[in-house]
């Protein structure tokens, strides 16, 4: 027997969504009408029958999460109908400058949008992150009779998302983790931008998801079989130990004269087509943005259901507070996004006499010290745990309890060799709330996840990348694993802090700033090789992104450097001193944080008067902003013991002293006053 | 009945490979002994019974291709045993500086290495590219009785590669394309760096590959069932309409005391363990790098088989030359890597009065003109054909003939929404020979393929990326699709030419240089919006990477720009002229090509005497190398009609004129001679 009770307004509401999609895209003269028209029935059934959220309180913690992975206008229409802060005028401003309805949904920009989608595959993986966050927080905070965190995550996805490797990675992990509260609706409409999916996408998607361990359902008539859609969602919700995918066979652009063809995918419908569509629905054919009162009423009922559930939840939370005051306090703090008081005081502080250590090891020490006090930190690695040093002793794996390998309350995630999936899942973990995810791989392989990293930054997700083996200093693995272009790539991403700490205090500083930056992702670039603790480094100074590590008055040269090369710069300075050349050393672990300091400070660090030479065992690209001369790698690295690789490329105290001398002589011969590269018109 | 005839030397040879793996890694004190020890039987069966290649002529065109996707020492050992240019001393120099045996195999560096592997998943996808290249060239050049191009591609892969999305993407496409000559051997050893694959990788791999349409076989005892391995390979070769994957259950580090554990994955075996291994094999326990004569003899037989096949093939080719002289001439030319004479003369030339066009459209015009004469060009798009404009009219899709959608002789590949797989497949197409692949997506989504792009550059594969919608100029799709950091990321990759042409002649120039650069990949960054043809641009001038587009003597300002912003710089120059400010315009479509020009030329373009302002609708990072002042995007773009987005960010003639004026005043006030940013000590 079907779970579904039809309502007289169902068809009307679905027609409203379809005609609105046509009108919104038509008005903008840009966008994708086909998919929203095809997915209107599924969206209608989901939001009127199942979805638990309160549009008037869009951040309610236990709300169901909805992700439209193939980000398009459908979500804006639903938000409007449900009563989120999105008016008809906002719909009319679709894809217009500074509107609340940009080309693809952006988290933090529009009320009710959970994650930024459009770049294909990302939303699917974000959804897996949501489901993991729910499973984890539920396991940690739920108690008998207090099922506080039990929301579902619903993802709508199309063929495009499912072709992307990032979605495959996330799907495989979701199956492994047996995430029961994840329900994906796959819009199997047989059309992508190149036309029929027969040209490139003929795999058996159902069988693929079975191989991942998912529950796989299908609805053959997604265009009008509302009961079938409802039953499938019901069955998905009932399955507690597997994620569910529902393959929904739909007709793209359903109702258009061009339905089922590529013609309705990415271009507005013709005016007469829209008119015919409206006539068929019994709507006034010449009226645009027509929304019958009955449709509003229907969605109001859904919204009120969510509001009621929220108020019941608030009562439950109050009872929980009485019964479990400590857990309540911690949960409330985590929901608020505030870290526990005083955690900063636990950060390790070093003095120069402390033994040299790899910054990946220094990172492990930080994590060992701070994670017990910050349960929000949920870490993991893309199968490089022993190299990234991200698993703190005594931590439990995040695993389905049936595996006997861990529990959902575990805080360490085994991502497998799935960097892109990991990055996108971390975005979902962060967006869910209550969690500060850190993820790890070699710096070079952060590039595999570039698509997810830029969306962290655009969406203001606080994700921390522990990116070890960050230069030729990894040695033997060779050029295939040695980053060259990676640092400047990440440094050029807006709202992303790329840290390359030089020693223990700087490593602590990078964690300090990364954890304080609630709306900025960070990449911590860490060495495989040992680094000495430096005279002059402090957490406070390094927290400014760049500072004078070694001050000299009346210098002949300043060397600005980062990470593992700072101690080499210091060594060069010593050798230059013996030759009578006074050399200042600036350590610059983070460009973007240095850029955010006031001009006076920045000019005091990179001051006029003597040439500035940058030193980094990476591409020199970008260092011209902070220096007159640059020394780095001319091209690729090399395989060998790391000291020999450094020698090969002249990154040694002796050679850098020689380079510095050449720089000093050159600027002396020029005979003009050397002005700081920061002194600029713009 | 089994296809396999055991030889008395089989066990001895396999033991040789295993002990060599232990010795090589032991000597280097770095590397992965476990996988080669586990895969030794499969490698032995493949190379002694099936593999067709001539070690003394390692570039023979119809050789079988072998890819060790989980790139490790196994391949070096096989190359040595088979008689490629790799000595025992080279094995002893494993992972040492400047050796022929770097940490991971690098194409072009070591004789017999087809593609660079190590970064996981890449080799798998390269193998799909090899199989596509064979299918295509076979379809084009084979004739009845002349099965000239019919090699197999064998890929060894581990769990790590199969977890990567890039491999999933390529596997799905390989199944769709029904590539019969592709045989993948999957080392199912249950171990990855984090330990047992049970922690993260529990999907049903066999079922997954069935879903992709592959033939799926398995051998339960990969440690010693040589007949089983042989039978599976035989069955793989017999299946002509599906790629084959053979799941081989092996014991990692087989023969070691620690076999089957994570302990043998990435660390050398202990000395006593190696000794015991040798004793068990009947080898002198204290002798390292011991290779019995019988093993050499066995592999010599295999090598001679390949040499004989090559000589038969050369005879066949001679007969083909007589029967099909035109086809032979073209095939020989393609194998040589030389493009047809005179193709450059067909490149379109524009004058300023020609209508404005988008550079993606200009790219389409180039492709329409040159592809008929250059059959080597095999194009495709990641499901953005109509936007990238990469499918030339009349071209046929590359598809299995049974689909009725195209043929293997077709030159247009429907990659699906699989950017990373596309990039890695293109590396395989290029490495195969006879093909110059071009691939397409939006510039922003080249980032999804970053892992493959850097390997193109490291491995010197000539792959051309047609990267359209290259800035905020794409307009409505908004920040999720608008590249910011992408250009500087690609510009910082060694041996990669990033072109951003400003008009028709520059687009022709970018294709000219990209096609002439046989060992360098190129990314062509192209606009969605129309661009006027510029006074002063010529193919020849633009081919130098940067040139003076608009010369003025005694200038007050030089603006250096690229792509769609060059015409805006020109507009600003006109406005500044009206205010008495003389402005030169430099167009710099390609940094790396400009950098390769002689110093005198470069200094003539970016000369001292007046400030230089860069202008680009992207991150300004990196432009400091070529300019004193930079104007670009401060952060993310915006969704809206593109002209409005340009206005929002002040990238208009009027505002740039104002910015230029400010720059001129600032440097006047400084009162010092302005020196070119190219005048440097280093």
């Amino acid at each position: 027997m079907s779970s579904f009770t039809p309502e007289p307004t169902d068809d009307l509401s679905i027609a409203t969504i379809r005609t609105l999609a046509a009108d919104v895209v038509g008005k903008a003269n840009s966008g994708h009408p086909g998919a929203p028209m095809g997915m209107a029935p599924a969206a209608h059934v989901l939001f009127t029958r199942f979805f638990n959220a309160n549009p008037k309180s869009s951040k309610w913690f236990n709300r169901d999460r909805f992700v439209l992975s193939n980000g398009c206008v459908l979500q804006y229409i639903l938000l409007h109908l449900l009563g989120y802060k999105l008016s008809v005028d906002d719909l009319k401003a679709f894809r217009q400058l500074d509107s609340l309805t940009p080309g693809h949904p952006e988290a933090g920009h529009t009320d009710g949008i959970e994650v930024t989608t459009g770049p294909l595959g990302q939303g699917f993986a974000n959804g897996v992150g949501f489901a993991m966050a729910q499973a984890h927080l539920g396991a940690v905070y739920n108690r008998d009779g207090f099922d506080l965190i039990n929301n579902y995550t619903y993802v709508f996805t199309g063929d495009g998302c499912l072709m992307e490797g990032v979605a495959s990675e996330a799907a495989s992990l979701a199956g492994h983790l047996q995430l029961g509260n994840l329900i994906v609706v796959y819009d199997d409409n047989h059309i992508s931008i190149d036309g029929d999916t027969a040209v490139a996408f003929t795999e058996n998607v159902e069988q693929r998801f079975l191989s991942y361990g998912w529950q796989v359902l299908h609805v053959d008539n997604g265009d009008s079989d509302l009961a079938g859609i409802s039953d499938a969602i019901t069955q998905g919700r009932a399955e507690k130990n597997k994620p569910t995918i529902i393959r929904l066979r739909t007709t793209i652009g359903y109702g258009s004269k061009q339905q089922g063809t590529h013609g309705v995918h990415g271009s507005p419908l013709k005016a007469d087509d829209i008119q015919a569509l409206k006539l068929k629905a019994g709507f006034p054919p010449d009226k645009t943005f027509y929304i019958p009162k009955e449709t509003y009423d229907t969605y109001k009922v859904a919204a009120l259901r969510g509001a009621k559930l929220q108020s019941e939840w608030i009562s439950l939370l109050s009872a929980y507070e009485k019964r479990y005051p400590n857990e309540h306090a911690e949960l409330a703090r985590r929901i608020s996004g505030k870290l526990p008081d005083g955690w900063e005081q636990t950060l390790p502080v070093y003095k120069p006499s402390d033994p040299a250590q790899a910054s990946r090891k220094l990172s492990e020490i930080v994590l060992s010290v701070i994670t017990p006090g910050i349960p929000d930190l949920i870490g993991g690695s893309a199968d490089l745990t022993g190299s990234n040093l991200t698993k703190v002793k005594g931590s439990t794996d995040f695993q389905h309890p049936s595996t006997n390998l861990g529990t959902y309350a575990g805080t360490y995630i085994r991502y497998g060799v799935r960097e892109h999936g990991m990055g996108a899942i971390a975005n979902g973990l962060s967006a869910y709330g209550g969690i500060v995810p850190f993820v790890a791989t070699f710096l070079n392989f952060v590039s595999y996840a570039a698509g997810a990293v830029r969306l962290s930054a655009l969406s203001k997700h606080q994700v921390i990348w522990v990116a070890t083996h960050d230069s030729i200093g990894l040695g033997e693995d060779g050029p295939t694993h040695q980053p060259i272009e990676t640092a400047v790539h990440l440094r050029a991403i807006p709202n992303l802090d790329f840290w390359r700490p030089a020693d223990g205090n700087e490593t602590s500083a990078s964690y300090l700033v990364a954890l304080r930056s609630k709306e900025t992702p960070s990449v911590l670039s860490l060495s495989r090789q040992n680094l000495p603790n430096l005279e002059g480094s402090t957490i406070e100074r390094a927290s400014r992104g760049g500072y004078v590590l070694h001050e000299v008055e009346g210098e002949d040269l300043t060397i600005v450097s980062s990470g593992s090369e700072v101690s080499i710069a210091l060594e060069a300075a010593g050798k230059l001193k013996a030759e009578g050349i006074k050399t200042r050393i600036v350590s610059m672990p983070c460009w973007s944080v240095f850029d955010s300091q006031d001009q006076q400070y920045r000019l005091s660090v990179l001051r006029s008067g003597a040439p500035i030479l940058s030193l980094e065992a990476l591409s020199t690209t970008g260092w011209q902003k902070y220096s007159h001369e640059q020394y780095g790698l001319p091209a690729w690295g090399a395989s060998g013991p790391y000291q020999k690789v450094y020698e090969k490329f002249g990154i040694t105290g002796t050679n850098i002293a020689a380079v510095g001398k050449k720089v000093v002589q050159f600027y002396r011969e020029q005979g003009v006053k050397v002005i700081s590269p920061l002194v600029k018109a713009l």
Side-chain angles (χ1 to χ4, degrees), chain A residues 54-71:
Chain A
N54 181 0
K56 301 304 172 205
S57 172
S58 62
K59 294 290 172 194
W60 167 38
F61 200 71
N62 197 39
R63 69 191 180 275
D64 286 344
R65 297 331 191 251
F66 177 70
V67 179
L68 189 65
S69 191
N70 46 346

PDB file of all heavy atoms in Angstrom, chain A residues 54-71:
ATOM      1  N   ASN A  54      12.214  24.816   8.900  1.00  0.00           N
ATOM      2  CA  ASN A  54      11.371  25.973   9.175  1.00  0.00           C
ATOM      3  C   ASN A  54      11.904  27.175   8.404  1.00  0.00           C
ATOM      4  O   ASN A  54      12.924  27.744   8.775  1.00  0.00           O
ATOM      5  CB  ASN A  54      11.371  26.270  10.681  1.00  0.00           C
ATOM      6  CG  ASN A  54      10.481  27.456  11.002  1.00  0.00           C
ATOM      7  OD1 ASN A  54       9.863  28.057  10.114  1.00  0.00           O
ATOM      8  ND2 ASN A  54      10.426  27.806  12.283  1.00  0.00           N
ATOM      9  N   PRO A  55      11.209  27.557   7.341  1.00  0.00           N
ATOM     10  CA  PRO A  55      11.702  28.659   6.502  1.00  0.00           C
ATOM     11  C   PRO A  55      11.908  29.951   7.291  1.00  0.00           C
ATOM     12  O   PRO A  55      12.706  30.792   6.878  1.00  0.00           O
ATOM     13  CB  PRO A  55      10.596  28.823   5.459  1.00  0.00           C
ATOM     14  CG  PRO A  55       9.922  27.481   5.399  1.00  0.00           C
ATOM     15  CD  PRO A  55       9.978  26.941   6.795  1.00  0.00           C
ATOM     16  N   LYS A  56      11.199  30.084   8.402  1.00  0.00           N
ATOM     17  CA  LYS A  56      11.351  31.320   9.186  1.00  0.00           C
ATOM     18  C   LYS A  56      12.512  31.214  10.170  1.00  0.00           C
ATOM     19  O   LYS A  56      12.778  32.155  10.919  1.00  0.00           O
ATOM     20  CB  LYS A  56      10.050  31.612   9.959  1.00  0.00           C
ATOM     21  CG  LYS A  56       8.834  31.781   9.066  1.00  0.00           C
ATOM     22  CD  LYS A  56       9.039  32.883   8.022  1.00  0.00           C
ATOM     23  CE  LYS A  56       7.890  32.901   7.000  1.00  0.00           C
ATOM     24  NZ  LYS A  56       8.316  33.497   5.721  1.00  0.00           N
ATOM     25  N   SER A  57      13.150  30.071  10.195  1.00  0.00           N
ATOM     26  CA  SER A  57      14.288  29.894  11.092  1.00  0.00           C
ATOM     27  C   SER A  57      15.248  28.948  10.368  1.00  0.00           C
ATOM     28  O   SER A  57      15.411  27.794  10.726  1.00  0.00           O
ATOM     29  CB  SER A  57      13.788  29.285  12.415  1.00  0.00           C
ATOM     30  OG  SER A  57      14.876  28.931  13.234  1.00  0.00           O
ATOM     31  N   SER A  58      15.853  29.505   9.332  1.00  0.00           N
ATOM     32  CA  SER A  58      16.509  28.636   8.354  1.00  0.00           C
ATOM     33  C   SER A  58      17.777  27.987   8.880  1.00  0.00           C
ATOM     34  O   SER A  58      18.341  27.125   8.215  1.00  0.00           O
ATOM     35  CB  SER A  58      16.812  29.432   7.078  1.00  0.00           C
ATOM     36  OG  SER A  58      17.702  30.484   7.356  1.00  0.00           O
ATOM     37  N   LYS A  59      18.234  28.379  10.051  1.00  0.00           N
ATOM     38  CA  LYS A  59      19.446  27.773  10.595  1.00  0.00           C
ATOM     39  C   LYS A  59      19.146  26.751  11.704  1.00  0.00           C
ATOM     40  O   LYS A  59      20.078  26.275  12.361  1.00  0.00           O
ATOM     41  CB  LYS A  59      20.398  28.864  11.133  1.00  0.00           C
ATOM     42  CG  LYS A  59      20.960  29.770  10.058  1.00  0.00           C
ATOM     43  CD  LYS A  59      21.949  29.029   9.181  1.00  0.00           C
ATOM     44  CE  LYS A  59      22.384  29.856   7.977  1.00  0.00           C
ATOM     45  NZ  LYS A  59      23.068  29.033   6.967  1.00  0.00           N
ATOM     46  N   TRP A  60      17.858  26.446  11.932  1.00  0.00           N
ATOM     47  CA  TRP A  60      17.521  25.430  12.933  1.00  0.00           C
ATOM     48  C   TRP A  60      18.398  24.200  12.719  1.00  0.00           C
ATOM     49  O   TRP A  60      18.475  23.647  11.632  1.00  0.00           O
ATOM     50  CB  TRP A  60      16.030  25.082  12.821  1.00  0.00           C
ATOM     51  CG  TRP A  60      15.640  23.857  13.575  1.00  0.00           C
ATOM     52  CD1 TRP A  60      16.115  23.461  14.799  1.00  0.00           C
ATOM     53  CD2 TRP A  60      14.697  22.856  13.152  1.00  0.00           C
ATOM     54  NE1 TRP A  60      15.528  22.273  15.173  1.00  0.00           N
ATOM     55  CE2 TRP A  60      14.656  21.878  14.190  1.00  0.00           C
ATOM     56  CE3 TRP A  60      13.887  22.701  12.043  1.00  0.00           C
ATOM     57  CZ2 TRP A  60      13.837  20.748  14.115  1.00  0.00           C
ATOM     58  CZ3 TRP A  60      13.066  21.587  11.968  1.00  0.00           C
ATOM     59  CH2 TRP A  60      13.044  20.622  13.004  1.00  0.00           C
ATOM     60  N   PHE A  61      19.040  23.774  13.793  1.00  0.00           N
ATOM     61  CA  PHE A  61      20.129  22.819  13.630  1.00  0.00           C
ATOM     62  C   PHE A  61      19.685  21.448  13.114  1.00  0.00           C
ATOM     63  O   PHE A  61      20.392  20.808  12.342  1.00  0.00           O
ATOM     64  CB  PHE A  61      20.890  22.654  14.957  1.00  0.00           C
ATOM     65  CG  PHE A  61      22.268  22.090  14.751  1.00  0.00           C
ATOM     66  CD1 PHE A  61      23.264  22.852  14.171  1.00  0.00           C
ATOM     67  CD2 PHE A  61      22.567  20.787  15.127  1.00  0.00           C
ATOM     68  CE1 PHE A  61      24.546  22.341  13.967  1.00  0.00           C
ATOM     69  CE2 PHE A  61      23.845  20.264  14.918  1.00  0.00           C
ATOM     70  CZ  PHE A  61      24.829  21.048  14.344  1.00  0.00           C
ATOM     71  N   ASN A  62      18.535  20.985  13.556  1.00  0.00           N
ATOM     72  CA  ASN A  62      18.126  19.634  13.151  1.00  0.00           C
ATOM     73  C   ASN A  62      17.243  19.614  11.899  1.00  0.00           C
ATOM     74  O   ASN A  62      16.561  18.638  11.621  1.00  0.00           O
ATOM     75  CB  ASN A  62      17.401  18.923  14.305  1.00  0.00           C
ATOM     76  CG  ASN A  62      17.329  17.418  14.083  1.00  0.00           C
ATOM     77  OD1 ASN A  62      18.287  16.815  13.606  1.00  0.00           O
ATOM     78  ND2 ASN A  62      16.196  16.812  14.385  1.00  0.00           N
ATOM     79  N   ARG A  63      17.273  20.703  11.155  1.00  0.00           N
ATOM     80  CA  ARG A  63      16.513  20.724   9.898  1.00  0.00           C
ATOM     81  C   ARG A  63      17.044  19.658   8.940  1.00  0.00           C
ATOM     82  O   ARG A  63      18.220  19.290   8.993  1.00  0.00           O
ATOM     83  CB  ARG A  63      16.645  22.104   9.239  1.00  0.00           C
ATOM     84  CG  ARG A  63      18.057  22.389   8.698  1.00  0.00           C
ATOM     85  CD  ARG A  63      18.232  23.847   8.301  1.00  0.00           C
ATOM     86  NE  ARG A  63      19.585  24.113   7.786  1.00  0.00           N
ATOM     87  CZ  ARG A  63      20.643  24.388   8.545  1.00  0.00           C
ATOM     88  NH1 ARG A  63      20.546  24.428   9.873  1.00  0.00           N
ATOM     89  NH2 ARG A  63      21.815  24.627   7.984  1.00  0.00           N
ATOM     90  N   ASP A  64      16.187  19.198   8.075  1.00  0.00           N
ATOM     91  CA  ASP A  64      16.673  18.399   6.961  1.00  0.00           C
ATOM     92  C   ASP A  64      17.524  19.284   6.062  1.00  0.00           C
ATOM     93  O   ASP A  64      17.268  20.487   5.934  1.00  0.00           O
ATOM     94  CB  ASP A  64      15.493  17.820   6.162  1.00  0.00           C
ATOM     95  CG  ASP A  64      14.793  16.668   6.897  1.00  0.00           C
ATOM     96  OD1 ASP A  64      15.392  16.122   7.858  1.00  0.00           O
ATOM     97  OD2 ASP A  64      13.665  16.312   6.499  1.00  0.00           O
ATOM     98  N   ARG A  65      18.545  18.658   5.480  1.00  0.00           N
ATOM     99  CA  ARG A  65      19.385  19.413   4.538  1.00  0.00           C
ATOM    100  C   ARG A  65      18.991  19.038   3.123  1.00  0.00           C
ATOM    101  O   ARG A  65      18.794  17.860   2.818  1.00  0.00           O
ATOM    102  CB  ARG A  65      20.864  19.098   4.732  1.00  0.00           C
ATOM    103  CG  ARG A  65      21.572  19.445   6.055  1.00  0.00           C
ATOM    104  CD  ARG A  65      21.074  20.594   6.824  1.00  0.00           C
ATOM    105  NE  ARG A  65      21.948  21.012   7.914  1.00  0.00           N
ATOM    106  CZ  ARG A  65      21.710  20.862   9.208  1.00  0.00           C
ATOM    107  NH1 ARG A  65      20.599  20.246   9.625  1.00  0.00           N
ATOM    108  NH2 ARG A  65      22.546  21.325  10.113  1.00  0.00           N
ATOM    109  N   PHE A  66      18.886  20.042   2.279  1.00  0.00           N
ATOM    110  CA  PHE A  66      18.587  19.803   0.870  1.00  0.00           C
ATOM    111  C   PHE A  66      19.728  20.345   0.016  1.00  0.00           C
ATOM    112  O   PHE A  66      20.173  21.474   0.200  1.00  0.00           O
ATOM    113  CB  PHE A  66      17.279  20.491   0.466  1.00  0.00           C
ATOM    114  CG  PHE A  66      16.954  20.343  -1.000  1.00  0.00           C
ATOM    115  CD1 PHE A  66      16.573  19.108  -1.522  1.00  0.00           C
ATOM    116  CD2 PHE A  66      17.054  21.435  -1.862  1.00  0.00           C
ATOM    117  CE1 PHE A  66      16.284  18.965  -2.881  1.00  0.00           C
ATOM    118  CE2 PHE A  66      16.761  21.294  -3.221  1.00  0.00           C
ATOM    119  CZ  PHE A  66      16.378  20.063  -3.724  1.00  0.00           C
ATOM    120  N   VAL A  67      20.192  19.526  -0.895  1.00  0.00           N
ATOM    121  CA  VAL A  67      21.256  19.939  -1.810  1.00  0.00           C
ATOM    122  C   VAL A  67      20.782  19.703  -3.235  1.00  0.00           C
ATOM    123  O   VAL A  67      20.404  18.583  -3.591  1.00  0.00           O
ATOM    124  CB  VAL A  67      22.541  19.120  -1.572  1.00  0.00           C
ATOM    125  CG1 VAL A  67      23.632  19.550  -2.558  1.00  0.00           C
ATOM    126  CG2 VAL A  67      23.035  19.260  -0.139  1.00  0.00           C
ATOM    127  N   LEU A  68      20.808  20.754  -4.005  1.00  0.00           N
ATOM    128  CA  LEU A  68      20.511  20.605  -5.424  1.00  0.00           C
ATOM    129  C   LEU A  68      21.858  20.554  -6.135  1.00  0.00           C
ATOM    130  O   LEU A  68      22.443  21.585  -6.464  1.00  0.00           O
ATOM    131  CB  LEU A  68      19.680  21.807  -5.899  1.00  0.00           C
ATOM    132  CG  LEU A  68      19.112  21.684  -7.302  1.00  0.00           C
ATOM    133  CD1 LEU A  68      18.092  20.555  -7.383  1.00  0.00           C
ATOM    134  CD2 LEU A  68      18.469  22.993  -7.726  1.00  0.00           C
ATOM    135  N   SER A  69      22.344  19.333  -6.321  1.00  0.00           N
ATOM    136  CA  SER A  69      23.727  19.202  -6.786  1.00  0.00           C
ATOM    137  C   SER A  69      23.915  19.810  -8.165  1.00  0.00           C
ATOM    138  O   SER A  69      24.918  20.453  -8.436  1.00  0.00           O
ATOM    139  CB  SER A  69      24.145  17.730  -6.779  1.00  0.00           C
ATOM    140  OG  SER A  69      25.535  17.625  -6.989  1.00  0.00           O
ATOM    141  N   ASN A  70      22.952  19.592  -9.024  1.00  0.00           N
ATOM    142  CA  ASN A  70      22.977  20.263 -10.333  1.00  0.00           C
ATOM    143  C   ASN A  70      22.326  21.628 -10.172  1.00  0.00           C
ATOM    144  O   ASN A  70      21.273  21.903 -10.721  1.00  0.00           O
ATOM    145  CB  ASN A  70      22.274  19.422 -11.402  1.00  0.00           C
ATOM    146  CG  ASN A  70      20.941  18.858 -10.935  1.00  0.00           C
ATOM    147  OD1 ASN A  70      20.640  18.874  -9.738  1.00  0.00           O
ATOM    148  ND2 ASN A  70      20.134  18.384 -11.862  1.00  0.00           N
ATOM    149  N   GLY A  71      22.970  22.467  -9.376  1.00  0.00           N
ATOM    150  CA  GLY A  71      22.427  23.748  -8.929  1.00  0.00           C
ATOM    151  C   GLY A  71      21.718  24.523 -10.013  1.00  0.00           C
ATOM    152  O   GLY A  71      22.313  24.878 -11.012  1.00  0.00           O
TER     153      GLY A  71
END
